[in-house]
Amino acid sequence: MMEADAHTAGGKDAVDGGGMEPPELVFELDEPTFAPTYRTWTVEYTDGTSKVLEA
């Protein structure tokens, strides 16, 4: 959003986003060392309890 604002503002401080490399994603997780299953989910509630849901 700031980049778009800078483009519309124009002038010497305008940001040119062309040709920029995308930022490195630092929040990516490593590949799991096990085969994940997506048939069950555990929901943890704010009161400390949890519930297991199955697909």
Side-chain angles (χ1 to χ4, degrees):
M1 189 155 160
M2 291 190 327
E3 183 177 343
D5 291 341
H7 279 292
T8 57
K12 66 177 183 169
D13 294 329
V15 176
D16 181 16
M20 289 180 59
E21 299 266 336
E24 181 180 343
L25 301 176
V26 294
F27 54 85
E28 286 187 40
L29 299 175
D30 294 334
E31 289 295 319
T33 58
F34 55 90
T37 60
Y38 301 100
R39 299 187 57 84
T40 60
W41 296 270
T42 302
V43 177
E44 296 180 3
Y45 298 101
T46 56
D47 64 357
T49 61
S50 63
K51 183 175 182 177
V52 176
L53 305 171
E54 294 187 29

